Amino acid sequence: MSSRHATETARRRTFAIISHPDAGKTTMTEKLLLFGGAIQLAGTVKGRKAARHATSDWMELEKQRGISVTSSVMQFPYKGCIVNLLDTPGHEDFSEDTYRTLTAVDSALMVIDVAKGVEERTIKLMDVCRLRDTPIMTFINKLDREGREPIDLLDEVEKVLKIQCAPVTWPIGMGKRFKGVYHIHHDAVHLYSPTHGGKIQRGEVIQGLDNPRLDEVLGGQAAELREELELVMGASHSFDKEAYLAGRQTPVFFGSAINNFGVQELLDDFVENAPGPQPRATETRTVDPSEETFSGFVFKIQANMDPQHRDRIAFLRVCSGTFRKGMKIHQVRIGRDVKISDALTFMASDREHVEEAYPGDIIGLHNHGTIRIGDTFTQGEQLSFTGIPNFAPELFRRAHLRDPLKMKQLQKGLQQLCEEGATQLFRPLVSNDLILGAVGVLQFDVVAHRLKAEYNVDASFENVNVQTARWVSCDDGRKFEQFRDKVAANLAVDHGGDLVYIAPTRVNLQMAQEKWPEVRFHATREHG
Ligand code: GDP
């Protein structure tokens, strides 16, 4: 491989933050961008959120519910590395999006609230990371507040999440008594002073645990710290890079994200130890990032990211080779070559045009309805990346249009929003209904809000007599035609044009399956 490709690949760090809502993911994202020099003052991420609130009811919904349903990609340089941070939505109903985003990262950062410890959503996300043994670093946040004993927290992480903890920093007190952290690997104390205005904080650093300056500054807390550390060192694991990279051990950092404290220690360690781009499995072989030819897969699609542009973006993770502006790439599923002259990059949260992208990078492709989640792009090789999860819809509602003249707009809106993968559109063969399938009930509210905000369509979703759906296929063309004629009343096409059996009851589905043994019924749309 060319040395430029090798160097550029080696310095990529692509990761996502996993946490329970409110633990501090947004704050952490903002501070990481601050340390990455991507923004001058903290508050920009929030500011961006606020600016969007003004333009979109969908964001209004997000604000009302106190959840983050948007998801984006941010790239920033740090100490010679190029860091790609993939944001994930926090609310449970959007978990499919989160799961898919986790297939596109090489490691994760887990943020835990010191007062709350391991929470339900963290457990679920950790399960997802474990599917691929994703390496995880842990940041225990909000040490400026009273919380649980750090030792108990590590114990809880080990027991509940079943991963070894290796503390890298250790907190000195908490709440009002929070004085800073001791860096175990550097044998140095980083002192804390709360800051305002969002500047990068450079507190005093005292080298050596035995340094008398420590007693001067910390008084009685210095002796406490030494005692506690002795206990901690005896009872916990020391950092083992191999165990971390295998997903068996998590290095742990303490701090206060909102005060920019402890974040730099984490980031320094992250760029040093977190894995670069990893090999990825396809149906036929494993693709190594060192390969010269380009390949990548789409893990996410988002409509109307920028309300002013009304565009739809497919997010592609580069797995091998170099992507260059104007390059022709091959969309494997439909066997089509496309020239990409206007791919997007996400440097510092502003959208810019990509000149070059390397393994680990995410590029945004304009989607005109032909790209699906899970699609593989190559330079001609027939590859198909695996492991991008698909979800079977469990809830179904019929779209009800308040203004019948807006039918075209409704169809277009539903079609485009369904490309994102969180909801799926079904059009029955025998009626003009538009049926939406989703995994979580909140998604219907979000779609209704977005239809209004982004397509100016007033629609609501009402109950419909559908309990479950199965994508159908059959090797015997004649049989399939018979099947289509006989059960037409139960058939629909989805937004990708595939045929789906929609069943009013599970019993009905079972009977159809027994009656048509030649027809295959699949729970999700991507079934090879
Ligand atoms: P998210 O839901 O995980 O994205 O959490 P946010 O970053 O929005 O934070 C949730 C709340 O916790 C907000 O009110 C933050 O201001 C607050 N918060 C975040 N980090 C800290 C911290 O270090 N200390 C304290 N006291 N509050 C924090």
Side-chain angles (χ1 to χ4, degrees), residues 458-502:
D458 219 344
S460 59
F461 291 93
E462 55 195 27
N463 285 335
V464 59
N465 192 21
V466 177
Q467 205 178 67
T468 187
R470 290 290 183 278
W471 278 259
V472 285
S473 63
C474 182
D475 294 333
D476 182 340
R478 227 170 47 93
K479 256 266 138 32
F480 204 38
E481 241 170 70
Q482 271 178 16
F483 171 75
R484 260 201 303 242
D485 287 346
K486 281 275 190 261
V487 305
N490 286 98
L491 289 177
V493 283
D494 73 0
H495 57 278
D498 291 332
L499 206 60
V500 189
Y501 186 89
I502 48 177

Side-chain angles (χ1 to χ4, degrees), residues 414-436:
L414 287 177
Q415 176 79 19
Q416 297 191 351
L417 294 177
C418 284
E419 281 168 7
E420 295 183 2
T423 51
Q424 313 203 33
L425 178 64
F426 304 103
R427 300 158 189 251
L429 295 186
V430 296
S431 76
N432 289 326
D433 283 350
L434 295 166
I435 296 174
L436 204 62

Side-chain angles (χ1 to χ4, degrees), residues 19-28 46 141-145 255-259:
S19 64
H20 193 83
D22 261 3
K25 192 180 60 166
T26 309
T27 311
M28 190 63 167
K46 287 251 163 66
N141 192 24
K142 307 195 187 180
L143 266 289
D144 58 308
R145 285 209 193 140
S256 168
I258 202 148
N259 291 296

